Amino acid sequence: MTLRASHNVRSRARISISSTTSAVHSYNEWDPLEEVIVGSVDGAVVPPWDAITMATMPSHASWFFKKYGGQSFPQEMIEKAREELDGLALLFKQHGIVVRRPDNKMDFSKEYRTPWWSSKGMYSAMPRDVLMVIGDILIEAPMAWRTRYFESHAYHSLLREYFDQGAKWLVAPKSSMDVEFYDKNYNPDRPYIDGKKQFPITNKEIAFDAADFVRCGRDIFVQKSHVTNDLGIEWVRRHIGSDYRVHEVEFGDEHPMHIDTTIIPLAPGKILINPLWVKKLPDIFKSWDVLVAPPPAHPFDSALYFSSDWLSLNMLSIDEKRIVVEEQERPLIESLTKWGFEPLPIPFRNFYPFGGSVHCATLDVRRRGTLQSYF
Ligand code: NVA
């Protein structure tokens, strides 16, 4: 339905109809999926070496970023990952789910400047990191990496369509990402000081990545991380309003960045946990079944802190039973089957080196269901 700006009562009624039938509508991780954005690796560029990459990459990988930072990912890697993304899109279509893709109009290799620094972009492979859907609200995350400063623009033609179809579109204030925004004393080899987790970003300005949040209806869980600070969490809490409760959680990942391999809600009352990092769940989950994930099938020697071999758990549910999972993750597939789920295995291993798996590569824009409390 088209929005028409006018001041008479009739057109106000049209606007209100349009917003209740928004094309964007998703409250949790498991309601039946109707529409999804699938990312793209086309034109992907290796993150340049700067204050934040330095702080968030393991030291054994620094040579890679120093050498290749700012250059395109090798074409062969891009092609293999593209094939897997297209396979994922096809699987969704076969299940009657509408698939949207970024329009690929951005040139990530082009250098850009702000008053404080210059950088190049990265990719539009991970809509999950940049965008969040809460009910009919689409939120553009401010991000914390310079290389991701303009990344949300890769989705702007889609966001504009969703806006025209009734979605609310919120853009969080971007930090300057100047030198003071990063903690110059942060040492990746000292993740805790006096028992307190350390982060490379300060609270000087608002920052969060959308993938540090996970939705269970009225209750939304978020972790502070290498890219999400207190102000970012408070910004989300205030802007989504009193229909929701935002709970801050902390687990054992020494270099947290994105919560979607740590706790994975699969259905009302069912949560999958990563046993390496989750020793205890917050009390709110006490009535839920806790499913303990088996170890990943293969070690994955990532050059990135933000993509461990627990990418095995980075899955997407298309409803309360069916879950898209990487086909080589056999122990996980067997466990899910034993627990009564129906895994949908697909090849996705060539996408891993870009820093994510199926959950990262997607954004569930619309699921059939209503806002509910599950606790
Ligand atoms: N940082 C987490 C999440 C990646 C999507 C991990 O490495 O498993």
Side-chain angles (χ1 to χ4, degrees), residues 65-367:
F65 293 93
K66 284 181 188 154
K67 185 157 181 215
Y68 296 110
Q71 294 181 34
S72 297
F73 274 91
Q75 203 48 34
E76 198 193 334
M77 274 176 79
I78 291 186
E79 270 157 31
K80 285 184 178 161
R82 183 196 292 132
E83 213 173 290
E84 293 183 344
L85 282 165
D86 291 348
L88 176 64
L90 182 65
L91 176 91
F92 288 135
K93 286 181 195 153
Q94 286 165 342
H95 285 83
I97 297 159
V98 177
V99 175
R100 310 302 307 273
R101 306 296 296 267
D103 60 21
N104 289 327
K105 286 198 190 122
M106 267 180 88
D107 177 358
F108 298 105
S109 66
K110 194 166 165 184
E111 188 166 276
Y112 51 75
R113 280 184 181 283
T114 73
W116 305 281
W117 45 263
S118 62
S119 181
K120 289 182 179 177
M122 193 157 88
Y123 51 40
S124 55
M126 315 284 178
R128 179 76 51 191
D129 298 357
V130 191
L131 302 170
M132 173 156 56
V133 174
I134 308 229
D136 64 350
I137 312 173
L138 262 166
I139 298 178
E140 264 184 53
M143 316 306 283
W145 286 22
R146 293 172 179 172
T147 186
R148 310 194 80 175
Y149 194 85
F150 290 109
E151 196 170 306
S152 58
H153 284 261
Y155 306 94
H156 270 201
S157 51
L158 287 176
L159 300 189
R160 170 61 208 275
E161 267 186 56
Y162 290 135
F163 180 72
D164 288 350
Q165 292 166 21
K168 300 190 181 93
W169 181 358
L170 285 183
V171 182
K174 273 193 183 305
S175 131
S176 63
M177 302 189 197
D178 67 1
V179 279
E180 280 131 36
F181 170 67
Y182 302 106
D183 180 353
K184 64 178 184 326
N185 297 318
Y186 176 77
N187 175 356
D189 298 325
R190 284 195 76 192
Y192 291 90
I193 295 179
D194 298 331
K196 199 166 173 278
K197 203 174 277 189
Q198 302 296 302
F199 302 103
I201 57 170
T202 64
N203 266 308
K204 176 177 173 263
E205 293 168 87
I206 289 169
F208 65 90
D209 275 17
D212 274 319
F213 292 79
V214 64
R215 304 153 309 151
C216 296
R218 287 192 190 278
D219 293 278
I220 294 170
F221 299 88
V222 56
Q223 65 174 1
K224 237 165 27 185
S225 79
H226 281 7
V227 287
T228 297
N229 63 13
D230 296 308
L231 292 178
I233 295 172
E234 184 55 25
W235 186 90
V236 172
R237 185 177 279 129
R238 274 189 220 170
H239 283 77
I240 60 177
S242 55
D243 281 346
Y244 299 93
R245 299 171 285 251
V246 176
H247 307 266
E248 190 182 322
V249 289
E250 184 183 335
F251 299 108
D253 183 356
E254 292 183 342
H255 297 283
M257 181 171 161
H258 304 163
I259 200 167
D260 48 356
T261 60
T262 303
I263 52 170
I264 301 95
L266 294 177
K270 286 189 182 157
I271 187 161
L272 178 68
I273 61 159
N274 177 330
L276 182 66
W277 295 328
V278 183
K279 300 300 172 201
K280 188 180 175 318
L281 274 174
D283 286 346
I284 188 170
F285 288 101
K286 65 179 181 295
S287 62
W288 280 43
D289 291 343
V290 179
L291 312 171
V292 180
H298 306 289
F300 167 57
D301 182 20
S302 173
L304 312 166
Y305 267 146
F306 67 95
S307 54
S308 67
D309 42 10
W310 291 95
L311 284 182
S312 53
L313 307 187
N314 194 253
M315 312 173 287
L316 188 79
S317 297
I318 67 169
D319 57 31
E320 284 182 27
K321 287 266 175 228
R322 292 176 295 174
I323 309 171
V324 185
V325 51
E326 209 290 321
E327 68 178 9
Q328 292 183 37
E329 303 293 352
R330 294 310 311 174
L332 180 62
I333 291 171
E334 278 159 29
S335 299
L336 289 169
T337 311
K338 192 179 77 199
W339 294 323
F341 295 98
E342 293 165 28
L344 301 172
I346 52 149
F348 218 62
R349 201 105 197 139
N350 291 303
F351 186 79
Y352 280 21
F354 291 86
S357 186
V358 178
H359 197 257
C360 296
T362 53
L363 182 76
D364 32 344
V365 170
R366 196 170 63 255
R367 291 181 182 270

